[in-house]
Amino acid sequence: MLFRSVSVRDKAYIVGVYEHPTRKADHLSVAQLHAQVAKGAIEDAGLSPSDIDGYFCAGDAPGLGTMSMGEYLGLNLRHVDSTETGGSAPIVHVHHAAQAIALGKCNVALVTLAGRPRAAGAALQLRPPDPDAPELQFERLYGPATQNGYAMCARRHMYEFGTTSEQLAWIKVAASHHAQHNPNAMLRNVVTVEEVVNSPMVSDPLHRLDCCVISDGGGAIIVARPEIAASLKRPKVKIRGMGEALKHGMGGKVDLTYSAARMSGPVAFAEAGLTPADVKYV
């Protein structure tokens, strides 16, 4: 990982955020979604595009990623990063942005994420897989999908630890309560454990309400050096600690029942000088 030995503790602040309100972008391109969330976050921070000198977006951004999007957004950049780690990429980018700021590579960093899988629908599903993906010849013939991949992990967790469907259902129940605080949430109804476990089975042991919805939209975050953050008249979030780790299946040689958070979590807590007991809300 970039700058792994550089501590980010108290070296940078999150000073602006924005979530796109749409959940189905029929008339917007992915580039437009990136641009709109960038604009929203920059305005939320009380800054202007000319203040941005670092840009971070995942490898699935349109064109050549940071190169194409940096030009599209009209940014004058001296540091970019397009590390691709799937859905966790924007979180990794916040870490890398803080590291870059700590090293003096940039002063104000923009992180954007955007997509339109819901609007793309079947067209997205019909895209051919990457023929150079090393796992393709071993996994593609079994028809892997997001649901059955997570279902295997859930079933193994049940086998190892006696986890029940009712316990897993509490994840959806909690998410439904969180949705009450987001006026743009797709699923606003509070659900019960009983409703989750009685919803149709999708991929054993996961029910329909265990599964994530597919939505369009995006979000952006502005990360700035402490001196700049102090000059802004808005609430600021200090970055105390972060950690990164990669965990692979290794053809079944690695336990499915835990994620890379087992490695990255302790690193983040150690850098922040905190313990899990200090966390009051997750």
Side-chain angles (χ1 to χ4, degrees):
M1 297 301 167
L2 293 179
F3 323 135
R4 190 182 183 96
S5 62
V6 177
S7 173
V8 300
R9 181 170 178 174
D10 304 339
K11 300 292 181 61
Y13 286 76
I14 295 173
V15 299
V17 297
Y18 184 79
E19 179 188 23
H20 205 287
T22 190
R23 293 297 180 265
K24 195 167 192 296
D26 286 321
H27 305 296
L28 292 171
S29 69
V30 176
Q32 288 174 314
L33 289 170
H34 275 277
Q36 290 179 8
V37 297
K39 179 177 182 293
I42 292 171
E43 291 177 348
D44 183 58
L47 297 169
S48 68
S50 62
D51 294 311
I52 306 298
D53 60 353
Y55 180 46
F56 299 72
C57 66
D60 62 349
L64 298 175
T66 52
M67 289 185 63
S68 297
M69 289 307 304
E71 180 179 15
Y72 183 74
L73 297 175
L75 302 176
N76 183 19
L77 304 167
R78 61 191 184 99
H79 187 81
V80 297
D81 185 337
S82 57
T83 299
E84 177 60 87
T85 59
S88 65
I91 302 173
V92 171
H93 293 159
V94 172
H95 188 193
H96 290 189
Q99 289 175 322
I101 289 171
L103 285 172
K105 300 296 183 181
C106 61
N107 294 312
V108 182
L110 166 67
V111 179
T112 64
L113 167 72
R116 52 191 306 275
R118 186 182 179 198
L124 184 68
Q125 301 300 319
L126 292 175
R127 287 189 310 177
D130 179 1
D132 294 323
E135 71 275 11
L136 184 67
Q137 60 182 313
F138 301 102
E139 298 180 358
R140 187 68 183 177
L141 69 163
Y142 295 107
T146 302
Q147 301 93 316
N148 57 37
Y150 277 100
M152 285 195 298
C153 297
R155 179 55 71 188
R156 185 66 188 183
H157 204 281
M158 289 177 166
Y159 174 79
E160 292 284 354
F161 305 107
T163 310
T164 66
S165 290
E166 287 75 14
Q167 289 171 322
L168 292 179
W170 277 105
I171 299 171
K172 168 59 183 178
V173 172
S176 71
H177 283 274
H178 295 165
Q180 306 309 300
H181 305 288
N182 187 341
N184 298 311
M186 284 182 63
L187 302 180
R188 297 297 305 280
N189 294 334
V190 172
V191 300
T192 65
V193 168
E194 290 72 23
E195 287 175 312
V196 176
V197 297
N198 288 324
S199 63
M201 187 70 74
V202 172
S203 185
D204 190 18
L206 301 181
H207 304 81
R208 184 169 63 194
L209 289 181
D210 287 308
C211 301
C212 295
V213 295
I214 295 175
S215 65
D216 301 339
I221 294 175
I222 304 293
V223 185
R225 64 183 319 107
E227 298 83 358
I228 295 174
S231 70
L232 302 174
K233 301 186 186 313
R234 69 166 326 283
K236 296 168 279 291
V237 177
K238 182 186 295 184
I239 297 176
R240 292 287 302 271
M242 299 192 73
E244 294 178 33
L246 294 178
K247 174 180 179 281
H248 309 286
M250 298 298 290
K253 297 177 182 178
V254 178
D255 192 344
L256 290 175
T257 62
Y258 68 90
S259 72
R262 175 184 285 189
M263 292 81 84
S264 62
V267 173
F269 276 111
E271 184 173 49
L274 300 170
T275 70
D278 296 311
V279 177
K280 304 304 180 187
Y281 178 78
V282 177

